[in-house]
Amino acid sequence: QAQEPAREAPDQQAALQTLLEEGTRMVCTGRTHTDRICRFQDLCYSAEAEEFIFFHGNSSLMLPSLGPRRFQPALLDLSSVEDHNTQYFNFVELPAAALRALPPARFLPDVALIANRFNPDNLMHIFHDDLLPLFYTLRQFPDLGPEARLVFMEGWGPGPHFDLYQLLSRKAPLLREQLKGLGRLLCFPRAYVGLSKATTWYQYGFVQPQGPKANILVSGTEIRRFASFVLRALNVSVAEGRGPGPGPGQGYIVVFSRTLNRLILNEAELLLALAREFQMKTVTVSLEDYAFADVVRLVSNASMLVSMHGAQLITALFLPRGAVVVELFPYAVNPDHYTPYKTLAGLPDMDLHYVAWRNTKQENTVTYPDRPWDQGGIAHLDRAEQERILQSREVPRHLCCRNPEWLFRIYQDTKVDIPSLLQAIRGVVKAGPGPGRPKRAQGPYPSKVREARCRASVQGAAEARLSVSWQAPWNLKFVKAKEVQYEVWIQEQGENAYMPYILTHQNHTFAENIKPFTTYLVWIRCIFSKNLLGPFADVLVCST
Ligand code: UDP
């Protein structure tokens, strides 16, 4: 990456004077440590103490003002992983006068985004925990952006995919190890600390077994916007039209293989069978044998991606719309319990088909009980436990990250049973790969209906009517809505139940179930294209 010419170094003497007089200023977003990002002026870092320092001066500002709650458990999460107790951020407080007794402060010119990478050795973690959150945090605050300096504080080396982090900013990221070299007391005149969690969709099972996050806030639109950025930054051109081929002979299938462990033992047979079944070329890629840009180039034009469960499947986020993700699980591993890639494929507007296949035949698995524990070995366990694991037909639900039965099973090699795999794929993609499932209705939602009114009339002792009318939502005249409907709820005051109606006109007289001398609440909202539900207008109160 081309480096920008260094910005004019700040006037160190003037910067120090400001810090001495004013102290550190901090204002944060977020109500709890898990959704907090803080903006600092003059946040410093002591290489000796390996601590960030907040200097109290005449203009110091610390908002939120938490008192001791700043340590219960921390000011904020430094990584995008929720409330992980190795990823907390806090600072040490000092009076500004202490600067005279400390090594000389060195002020950095760049706006910094300070965060932890969670696990930069693993491609899934790199994308899900780091790159996507960094990408969108850089877009959240106006003084961050393509010139921001990323500062990674987790203390790891660059890792195998450091080049991906370098794509996010024109400035080279700094690792904690490098900070020492820049100064014993390093000060960031402007810094943001923390990462947005808005794009993460998976929790890894630290407090409950792993699974999709409870409240997913991201859709395929944001994932694909990020993917396009990465493709452009990697100089990968994507084929015109960007979609899987319409029929036989057009598209191709990528089999993503692992070469170190969790192998597909009959890969050649698998490739042949897929080619024959779908009448498409098949190619194999692996992280070991291909440059990452080449992997992404291949995946981004593929019709189908087939792979064992594993971090390499995160590359599914580069697949074109309508493509198929086929995830293979070793013996005794239940696909429903490990769904980071299924969840990704199923995000709204991601437009991917997803197929899970599981080896159910023990004779088709190869186990490695004698490997080190972190590669699934179980020789270190007592005999009875080893025996239990060997007999077990499914790994029970478990927490992250060292469950030996899980590691034993997930690091098996698999001979894929071709007929059952093809059947699983056919079951999900009836007519072979092609355009995705019917798209969720897109586009703007209706605004509120306007000028809602009701008129009541009583017809004798037992009968009454409610005439309700309203105007179309204000934004309808700007929107090409396929179909416009109105939903009206009529609720007797004090009751929980209500009668719902779907109407196409802007007025209606209700007679059934309407009683005389009763007060009704009338709720009205507009619906575009059957499933874009707008907000309810202010409730109407109507008495018969
Ligand atoms: N990996 C790989 N080839 C292999 C095994 C692993 O490229 O044969 C990569 C994998 O994609 C991930 C990292 O090495 O980025 C760590 O793999 P591990 O098995 O620990 O994690 P998992 O893939 O199960 O998330």
Side-chain angles (χ1 to χ4, degrees), residues 317-344:
L317 68 83
F318 294 104
L319 281 169
R321 291 181 188 278
V324 187
V325 183
V326 182
E327 183 170 12
L328 312 175
F329 289 83
Y331 180 77
V333 177
N334 184 339
D336 294 339
H337 298 174
Y338 311 96
T339 56
Y341 313 109
K342 180 185 182 181
T343 306
L344 168 64

Side-chain angles (χ1 to χ4, degrees), residues 121-123 258-262 287-288 310-312 341 411:
D121 282 347
N122 179 300
L123 203 58
R258 299 169 57 112
T259 60
L260 307 174
N261 52 46
R262 206 176 302 153
L287 291 175
E288 289 81 9
Q312 65 287 344
Y341 313 109
Y411 282 110

